[in-house]
Amino acid sequence: MENIVLTIHLIIALCLIGIVLIQRSEGGGLGIGGGGGATTGRPGISALGKLTWLFGIGFVITSITLTVIAAQNATGGSVLDGSALLPPAADAPADSGLLPPATTDAPLAPPRVDN
């Protein structure tokens, strides 16, 4: 089931990229530079605009579906639990020399200096 939804998700993503690249640029993104004002007439939504909305909604739906499926299949463990990159904790030496000495190993009083 997850592979089917993932394949559909990939196809929708590629279609969405293609449809966005095909569309004509209207310029003045985010209202920057384009002149006009609040009274400028915008043409009705084209077929490419409708397809963009359709693919966008499909992309969001498949994304949510994949998230739900992944959450159901999760075991709750870490990805690194079964990894060969980290040695098991039982094999690690107690004193590897990388850590500072414990506070119980420190002297109780500073060494005495005779002048």
Side-chain angles (χ1 to χ4, degrees):
M1 177 71 179
E2 186 176 5
N3 289 336
I4 294 171
V5 176
L6 189 60
T7 303
I8 293 170
H9 185 71
L10 179 64
I11 292 170
I12 289 175
L14 293 174
C15 290
L16 185 60
I17 291 169
I19 289 294
V20 168
L21 290 176
I22 289 173
Q23 291 182 20
R24 182 179 64 89
S25 173
E26 295 179 4
L30 299 175
I32 299 172
T39 60
T40 56
R42 290 187 55 104
I45 190 166
S46 66
L48 289 178
K50 290 179 184 178
L51 277 176
T52 304
W53 273 99
L54 180 72
F55 287 139
I57 291 169
F59 185 82
V60 169
I61 289 172
T62 55
S63 296
I64 292 172
T65 304
L66 285 170
T67 302
V68 169
I69 291 173
Q72 289 174 350
N73 293 341
T75 60
S78 173
V79 175
L80 294 177
D81 286 344
S83 175
L85 298 177
L86 298 176
D91 293 345
D95 183 22
S96 62
L98 298 176
L99 299 175
T103 56
T104 58
D105 294 342
L108 296 177
R112 195 173 149 177
V113 178
D114 294 328
N115 290 344

